[in-house]
Amino acid sequence: MENLLLTAFLACLFFLFGIIVLTIVLAAAGQSLGIRRKYIQILLKVFEFGRRRINSYAASERDKHKQKYEEEGGSGDEGLPEMDNLSDTSQESENRVFTDSDQVIYRDISISALEGIKIPSQRPDYDLTFKKDFHVSDMMYFMKCGVEAIIQDDVTHRFTAEDLKSWNLLTRTDKGYQFISVRLTILWWIGCLIRYGILLPFRFTLCIAGLLWLITSTFLIGYFPDGKHKRLLNRVSSLMAHRILCRAMSAVVTFNYLEHRPQNGICVANHTSPLDVVILSSDNCYAMVGQSHSGFLGVMQRALSRATSHIWFERSEIKDRLVVSKRMQEHVEDENKLPILIFPEGTCINNTSVMMFKKGGFEVTPVVYPVAVKYDRRFGDAFWNSSKDSMVYHIFRIMTSWALVVDIWYLPPMKRQDGEDSVSFASRVKAEIARQGGLVDLEWDGQLKRMKVKETWKSSSQRDYSKLLKVD
């Protein structure tokens, strides 16, 4: 009996080892058996089953409340409790408008970071085109405009996890739904077992394999002389490593418009997670720009720099724009070097919008290659709240989610127009990325995630209010 159990245990180990090796080989070769996409289709059916069960429970609870209310002498729906709307087809807000092409358009916000005050109400006597006498009662109108601006806040809730309209059996959106039905409870426990007991160890093994391959291959490639062969070896090893790391997150990535894939210059993309680099690098090789680090990140940076040219800055240099621009300019002018991948927002946004692009990368070259990145929120939350969660915890959450489903759009290269400054150029590129990704185009600085509003913005709003009044 003991020999039989030992034989079964060893057989299971060899089977798992074979699956891991097969996954690594397929990932390195850029091939797939289609299992992940079938897995995604099964998950969608499970989510739909859960949604129907929850809506059925909500309807029955509402009927119970209605019956009880009528027995107590009430009538109609007045006084009945509100139930959660769990349909994915519901509108996210009153400002959201759907066109025939399924593109999302948002109406103007009340206050613009660049254009100053925009009075949201249709009151003609408050218009910047003419002035009026001030009355004490006007304060109530200004207070109303301020409250509307707070209610229509387009900034702070971009730094929190994106709201989910339907439950995906993850604890992030847990409202006790798993306990309203025996079948949902069983599904939830099976899901926990699969995610933590099977997928997490499997993904962790793949992650270690990918990192070891990345460090080892770049270390060895560093001994080759600079030239065509070294660039080819670096491209092959980099794609292999990042594809293995994508498998470690069960990433299902769809790349669109491959004819616009950047080959050199500067590539700009919206930013949701540090894993954006892994996702994009699984299809193309990029040069990285960033601050030099110590520890494990420092080891990774030195390993990457041995294989190809990257741009790492010391803390004392990164504040010097001339030094940064000069090194980026030298890199861009060399056609043999990889395209530079930068995230002009400077911070992670929660997959719903694109915030202000910093002008630095748009001053270096008149042509940039935009890339739009959009994650499917139903399978997991890809947003990294760096002010709340550590990098390790963020990766752990990704590895314990169902999957990482993402769409990538390579957009045609955009060129700076005659007389256009770098700020306007950056804003135009940002708008195009937002349009393609179905994201909200915002003018606010993403650094509001960590800092207070600049005094210049406050004084600008005060000046706009003063323009409404007559001054004797």
Side-chain angles (χ1 to χ4, degrees):
M1 185 64 180
E2 293 180 357
N3 293 334
L4 182 61
L5 292 175
L6 179 61
T7 302
F9 177 72
L10 292 176
C12 290
L13 284 181
F14 280 114
F15 178 72
L16 293 175
F17 179 76
I19 292 178
I20 292 174
V21 171
L22 177 62
T23 303
I24 292 175
V25 172
L26 290 173
Q31 301 298 320
S32 175
L33 298 177
I35 296 177
R36 285 172 299 154
R37 295 191 180 275
K38 289 292 184 182
Y39 166 70
I40 294 301
Q41 294 174 5
I42 293 173
L43 284 177
L44 289 175
K45 293 180 180 179
V46 174
F47 296 161
E48 178 62 20
F49 170 78
R51 186 188 66 81
R52 290 198 303 267
R53 294 297 302 173
I54 295 171
N55 285 342
S56 175
Y57 172 79
S60 63
E61 287 295 307
R62 184 175 178 83
D63 291 339
K64 290 180 181 178
H65 283 285
K66 183 176 181 179
Q67 182 179 359
K68 182 179 179 181
Y69 186 73
E70 291 176 350
E71 290 176 353
E72 293 176 353
S75 61
D77 293 335
E78 184 180 355
L80 295 180
E82 294 291 336
M83 294 295 177
D84 291 336
N85 184 2
L86 299 170
S87 174
D88 279 331
T89 59
S90 61
Q91 290 186 341
E92 292 186 2
S93 67
E94 293 180 357
N95 290 334
R96 190 166 182 175
V97 179
F98 291 89
T99 63
D100 293 336
S101 60
D102 291 335
Q103 295 178 354
V104 182
I105 303 175
Y106 283 75
R107 301 189 181 99
D108 289 340
I109 59 176
S110 298
I111 299 182
S112 169
L114 301 181
E115 300 179 9
I117 302 300
K118 290 183 178 179
I119 302 300
S121 300
Q122 302 298 323
R123 184 168 171 176
D125 54 339
Y126 285 100
D127 193 333
L128 297 181
T129 58
F130 64 90
K131 299 182 179 181
K132 65 180 294 295
D133 294 326
F134 176 76
H135 300 283
V136 177
S137 61
D138 295 336
M139 290 189 296
M140 299 304 297
Y141 179 73
F142 292 145
M143 291 174 64
K144 171 179 174 290
C145 293
V147 171
E148 288 180 355
I150 294 174
I151 294 174
Q152 298 176 9
D153 178 19
D154 282 319
V155 182
T156 56
H157 69 276
R158 307 297 176 181
F159 305 134
T160 57
E162 185 181 8
D163 291 333
L164 215 58
K165 296 301 180 183
S166 62
W167 187 45
N168 59 1
L169 278 74
L170 295 177
T171 54
R172 180 173 70 87
T173 52
D174 181 17
K175 295 183 180 180
Y177 294 139
Q178 69 270 32
F179 301 120
I180 67 175
S181 166
V182 175
R183 281 179 285 184
L184 277 184
T185 303
I186 294 174
L187 273 180
W188 184 74
W189 278 112
I190 292 175
C192 289
L193 178 62
I194 293 174
R195 289 188 291 112
Y196 289 93
I198 300 176
L199 293 180
L200 179 58
F202 180 73
R203 292 169 176 174
F204 182 76
T205 304
L206 290 179
C207 182
I208 295 299
L211 291 176
L212 288 176
W213 172 253
L214 182 62
I215 295 175
T216 304
S217 61
T218 52
F219 177 79
L220 295 176
I221 292 173
Y223 287 102
F224 284 79
D226 293 338
K228 181 179 179 180
H229 297 293
K230 184 176 181 178
R231 292 195 297 271
L232 179 60
L233 286 174
N234 173 68
R235 177 176 178 82
V236 173
S237 65
S238 176
L239 290 175
M240 290 173 60
H242 288 99
R243 284 167 179 170
I244 294 173
L245 292 175
C246 279
R247 294 295 201 279
M249 298 176 288
S250 297
V252 180
V253 189
T254 303
F255 293 96
N256 303 281
Y257 311 133
L258 296 179
E259 64 274 15
H260 300 310
R261 183 192 291 124
Q263 301 300 324
N264 49 40
I266 292 182
C267 174
V268 298
N270 57 301
H271 199 24
T272 303
S273 165
L275 299 176
D276 295 341
V277 177
V278 178
I279 298 296
L280 291 171
S281 297
S282 66
D283 183 63
N284 196 17
C285 292
Y286 296 95
M288 306 300 169
V289 179
Q291 180 181 321
S292 299
H293 291 275
S294 57
F296 178 74
L297 286 178
V299 173
M300 293 295 298
Q301 288 179 336
R302 289 190 293 271
L304 291 172
S305 297
R306 287 178 60 86
T308 188
S309 176
H310 296 273
I311 304 175
W312 311 119
F313 298 99
E314 299 296 336
R315 186 179 296 273
S316 59
E317 294 179 333
I318 202 164
K319 295 182 180 179
D320 191 339
R321 288 190 176 182
L322 293 178
V323 174
V324 176
S325 298
K326 182 179 179 181
R327 292 184 60 182
M328 291 180 65
Q329 185 70 45
E330 293 173 352
H331 185 105
V332 170
E333 291 175 353
D334 190 342
E335 295 183 355
N336 293 323
K337 292 186 177 181
L338 298 174
I340 299 176
L341 176 61
I342 61 175
F343 301 101
E345 290 169 296
T347 189
C348 296
I349 311 299
N350 72 346
N351 196 44
T352 61
S353 60
V354 183
M355 303 193 82
M356 185 178 72
F357 278 10
K358 305 296 174 51
K359 65 178 182 179
F362 299 87
E363 295 175 331
V364 176
T365 175
V367 179
V368 298
Y369 296 84
V371 176
V373 182
K374 178 66 175 179
Y375 291 89
D376 193 327
R377 60 184 180 174
R378 293 173 294 180
F379 304 96
D381 181 22
F383 169 59
W384 180 39
N385 189 348
S386 56
S387 60
K388 180 181 178 182
D389 301 328
S390 65
M391 171 76 77
V392 174
Y393 181 70
H394 173 64
I395 295 176
F396 174 78
R397 289 187 63 188
I398 294 295
M399 287 190 174
T400 54
S401 295
W402 292 113
L404 201 62
V405 181
V406 56
D407 285 288
I408 306 291
W409 292 273
Y410 294 116
L411 303 181
M414 298 184 65
K415 186 175 182 180
R416 185 189 303 160
Q417 299 175 353
D418 295 337
E420 186 178 33
D421 58 16
S422 56
V423 175
S424 301
F425 184 31
S427 180
R428 186 161 58 88
V429 173
K430 173 173 65 72
E432 185 63 21
I433 290 176
R435 183 199 63 79
Q436 180 62 71
L439 303 167
V440 186
D441 183 10
L442 299 178
E443 301 166 341
W444 299 95
D445 189 353
Q447 294 303 319
L448 289 172
K449 182 179 182 179
R450 300 180 180 86
M451 67 181 188
K452 297 181 179 180
V453 178
K454 295 179 181 179
E455 292 298 328
T456 54
W457 289 0
K458 294 180 181 179
S459 60
S460 175
S461 298
Q462 292 170 354
R463 285 196 300 271
D464 287 340
Y465 276 124
S466 66
K467 292 178 182 178
L468 298 172
L469 308 175
K470 290 182 179 180
V471 178
D472 294 333

